[in-house]
Amino acid sequence: MIFLPLKDRENPPARLLVGGALRQIERAVINLDGKEYNATYYPDTPIIELLRACSIHKLQLQPGDRPKCNYCESQLEHGLTLQVEHYRPKAKVEAGVNDNIELPGYYWLGLEWTNLLLACPKCNGKDAKGNHFPIRGVRAVAINPILRGPRGQISLDRSQTKAHAQPLSAELPILLNPEIDHPEDFLTFDLYANISGHGPNAERGNVSRDRYKLNRNLLVAERLDVWKAFKKRIEVDIAGFELGVHNDAGLQYLFKVTCRELLERKSLEKEFTLWGRYINDNIVDFINVYVAPDYQDRFNQAYDEVVAEQQLIPA
Ligand SMILES: [Zn+2]
């Protein structure tokens, strides 16, 4: 999970403000039922495309771009379709962290722009995030955000519906929201790509990890593969050096090529950016564990040189 600041929270896509969308909200409010949304609006192409672009820190997708699940940072191409996810569940809420207290959903937020995220079915499924929404504060009171004018004209009052603002923020949600929270303050890794909570609010990290299933087996294996590919390259380069294929300068050159690619893993467009940043922030520990002792200093020096070179490049 990585911080996603690009969405224009004050200006929802026009599709969410058309009369039909507002009438759906009104119907859900009147019937106190989030099932009133017939899924016409939030999976609409412009909305999905904007969410997909924001997931890799862009406002518009380019050919070849690979959007990511907002929770696990898996890219679409892993055979799963990214879905529009309601951060606050619209139809019903399972409220407990460990128990199953069931409450009505946030039916008035079914088409609220700041309530819509993009998630893969593995993070969003019934046995994962599903309808769960535990909080530490007081559950928000339902409101009617639809205004009817004297001639029946309909409009939306979003003053109390934004996920990042009062009164909803006073609920103190436990599950991390990548558009509001900075995941690196709550989540860290070990050298084997397992996620755990950390920092003063480690509980939010741990509950989010469990709820979004961020340590599911395949996901951990895919994250670890990112590092293993680098480890393999380092080993091949060392083998070439020991066989006399490369001299000292050649090995140093190859290490620096690897280091440049390692640093690219910090990029927001890459899959598993939070993990890529963890690897880079803790590169000395990874090298200590995974690289033959005779070559550790040499690799670390190459890494430092590449970092220094990149700092000289004007932004
Ligand atoms: Zn996911």
Side-chain angles (χ1 to χ4, degrees), residues 151-226:
R151 289 182 304 280
Q153 68 272 38
I154 190 166
S155 63
L156 185 63
D157 171 12
R158 297 182 65 234
S159 61
Q160 295 184 65
T161 62
K162 292 171 197 155
H164 58 290
Q166 297 278 10
L168 293 178
S169 57
E171 288 191 315
L172 307 176
I174 295 177
L175 295 177
L176 297 176
N177 180 329
E179 294 184 342
I180 298 172
D181 303 303
H182 288 262
E184 66 273 22
D185 294 341
F186 304 90
L187 294 169
T188 189
F189 296 90
D190 64 15
L191 299 183
Y192 308 95
N194 298 293
I195 284 191
S196 58
H198 90 131
N201 258 320
E203 182 213 358
R204 291 192 64 197
N206 282 324
V207 173
S208 300
R209 170 201 61 193
D210 294 344
R211 202 31 80 193
Y212 301 136
K213 296 243 180 301
L214 298 179
N215 275 343
R216 54 188 185 260
N217 290 343
L218 188 60
L219 183 60
V220 174
E222 281 167 352
R223 283 197 299 258
L224 194 54
D225 280 348
V226 172

Side-chain angles (χ1 to χ4, degrees), residues 68-74 80 82 118-124 212 214 216 219:
K68 301 194 284 190
C69 170
N70 291 175
Y71 295 137
C72 71
E73 288 196 84
S74 290
L80 299 168
L82 296 178
L118 198 64
C120 76
K122 301 268 183 191
C123 291
N124 193 21
Y212 301 136
L214 298 179
R216 54 188 185 260
L219 183 60

Side-chain angles (χ1 to χ4, degrees), residues 33-212:
D33 188 356
K35 294 197 196 78
E36 293 289 341
Y37 296 94
N38 64 17
T40 306
Y41 294 98
Y42 49 80
D44 204 59
T45 305
I47 292 169
I48 290 250
E49 289 301 286
L50 192 50
L51 290 171
R52 293 172 83 224
C54 288
S55 79
I56 50 170
H57 293 248
K58 292 183 169 185
L59 286 172
Q60 200 160 10
L61 288 177
Q62 307 296 327
D65 279 345
R66 300 173 72 194
K68 301 194 284 190
C69 170
N70 291 175
Y71 295 137
C72 71
E73 288 196 84
S74 290
Q75 282 168 333
L76 190 60
E77 281 74 4
H78 283 159
L80 299 168
T81 310
L82 296 178
Q83 308 166 330
V84 175
E85 130 82 352
H86 292 82
Y87 175 63
R88 283 179 169 80
K90 65 186 187 308
K92 62 179 176 184
V93 171
E94 289 178 54
V97 172
N98 297 312
D99 47 12
N100 286 325
I101 310 158
E102 204 171 291
L103 301 170
Y106 294 83
Y107 48 81
W108 65 103
L109 300 176
L111 293 175
E112 163 53 39
W113 183 221
T114 58
N115 195 40
L116 302 183
L117 298 172
L118 198 64
C120 76
K122 301 268 183 191
C123 291
N124 193 21
K126 267 196 174 58
D127 59 343
K129 162 76 162 38
N131 290 319
H132 291 272
F133 198 73
I135 58 172
R136 278 192 297 214
V138 178
R139 198 66 63 180
V141 176
I143 57 138
N144 181 1
I146 299 297
L147 303 175
R148 282 263 173 196
R151 289 182 304 280
Q153 68 272 38
I154 190 166
S155 63
L156 185 63
D157 171 12
R158 297 182 65 234
S159 61
Q160 295 184 65
T161 62
K162 292 171 197 155
H164 58 290
Q166 297 278 10
L168 293 178
S169 57
E171 288 191 315
L172 307 176
I174 295 177
L175 295 177
L176 297 176
N177 180 329
E179 294 184 342
I180 298 172
D181 303 303
H182 288 262
E184 66 273 22
D185 294 341
F186 304 90
L187 294 169
T188 189
F189 296 90
D190 64 15
L191 299 183
Y192 308 95
N194 298 293
I195 284 191
S196 58
H198 90 131
N201 258 320
E203 182 213 358
R204 291 192 64 197
N206 282 324
V207 173
S208 300
R209 170 201 61 193
D210 294 344
R211 202 31 80 193
Y212 301 136

